[in-house]
Amino acid sequence: MRVERLELQDFRSYQKAVLDFDQEVTVFSGENAKGKTNLLEAIFLCCTARSHRTPRDRELIHFGSEGAQIVTSISRLNGKSQIKLQLSEKGRKKAWVGGAELPRIGELLGVLNGVMFSPEDLRLVKDGPDVRRRFLDISLSQISPLYFNALSNYQRALRQRNILLRQLVEKKNAGQGDLDLWDLQLSRYGAQVAFRRAEWVGRLCQAAQRIYYDISGGREHLTLLYQTKLDLNGTVEALQDELYTRIQKARSEDLRRVTTTVGPHRDELELKIGETAVRAFGSQGQQRTSALSLKLAELRLMEEETGEAPILLLDDVMSELDDERQRLLLKHTSGVQTFIACTNYRQLPHMEQREMAVFEVGMHEGVSGCTLI
């Protein structure tokens, strides 16, 4: 799949921009805080309907404007199409695909698949479990509408159950019998989430192991483990029954802590090199290589799942990698449409064999602009 054109109206630092892409690699080059990352963010929004930088849509709208618009023209094996996103300060974002408005914004997932790799993702290994859960959820949601639906329903049930727990503790108009309804919802959708995540981690592990082995020169062995208190060896139905029982048993503790303590929102993705936990004891080099391996494994599995390579967005990450890791990153992304944000395209190594277009990004009077070099 490819992005052929990007059109922006009042998005972030851009009042208006139209960019055409006809090369395998597109580089946005310029000083920091001039608008390079905004371009990658706009493209990634068309992949996931969410920003990788902020949950607040109002931050995506150009100062002084009431709304913003992003349009991407894309091509896939099944033909060409167009994605349009509208953001508003007063309402929810809306999306159109091929001119037809989507009834739910979540239906945008899977239309254009993308993998984002930013400096923040280099912390994927050493930050808290929520970062790694989000990594799994974004990948799976792009390739599986059923997973996205289960995750959305699980998160909704979790929010409602936690509200009810707080009401019970504050002795508001609520009864413990109401918890049973949300316990059933949590166990139903939580079982689907945990089961699919564990399956995905197993596949990620195989792909990431091969990539890490290559990057480390065959010296080290990476393992990924989905850590949960649930028994994942049976069926989804058995998992649902087990989760329901555990949630019921934890009710007293949940009321004491005023939060739901059992479920896949507590699970973890653990990375090990040999018997060593990378998060706690891995060197900086091992942590960065593990994060890079995870992202490249995600890229290749999404291609395997959909039959098309997703687009790759590299947000100023090349400067964070040493020369050898940069070389291997580009080696593993050959044939993938890649967008790179960097401060100086002339300092990008190993680009001689790639078709490349460069846009110089600058800012004048608070408004960003791009010039094709």
Side-chain angles (χ1 to χ4, degrees), residues 129-142:
D130 58 313
V131 176
R132 288 177 289 283
R133 287 194 297 267
R134 186 171 184 269
F135 161 72
L136 296 175
D137 291 341
I138 290 175
S139 298
L140 282 166
S141 293
Q142 287 193 70

Side-chain angles (χ1 to χ4, degrees), residues 226-280:
Y226 186 65
Q227 299 284 19
T228 181
K229 294 181 180 179
L230 301 170
D231 182 3
L232 297 169
N233 294 317
T235 63
V236 176
E237 291 75 20
L239 187 60
Q240 179 177 332
D241 292 341
E242 180 192 352
L243 182 54
Y244 181 75
T245 300
R246 286 181 175 273
I247 291 172
Q248 293 264 299
K249 287 182 177 179
R251 181 171 292 186
S252 296
E253 178 68 8
D254 290 354
L255 285 166
R256 187 182 71 82
R257 297 175 59 177
V258 201
T259 191
T260 303
T261 59
V262 175
H265 63 288
R266 298 279 181 169
D267 292 348
E268 163 72 300
L269 172 61
E270 184 179 16
L271 292 85
K272 288 187 174 183
I273 296 176
E275 297 300 318
T276 302
V278 181
R279 181 188 180 194

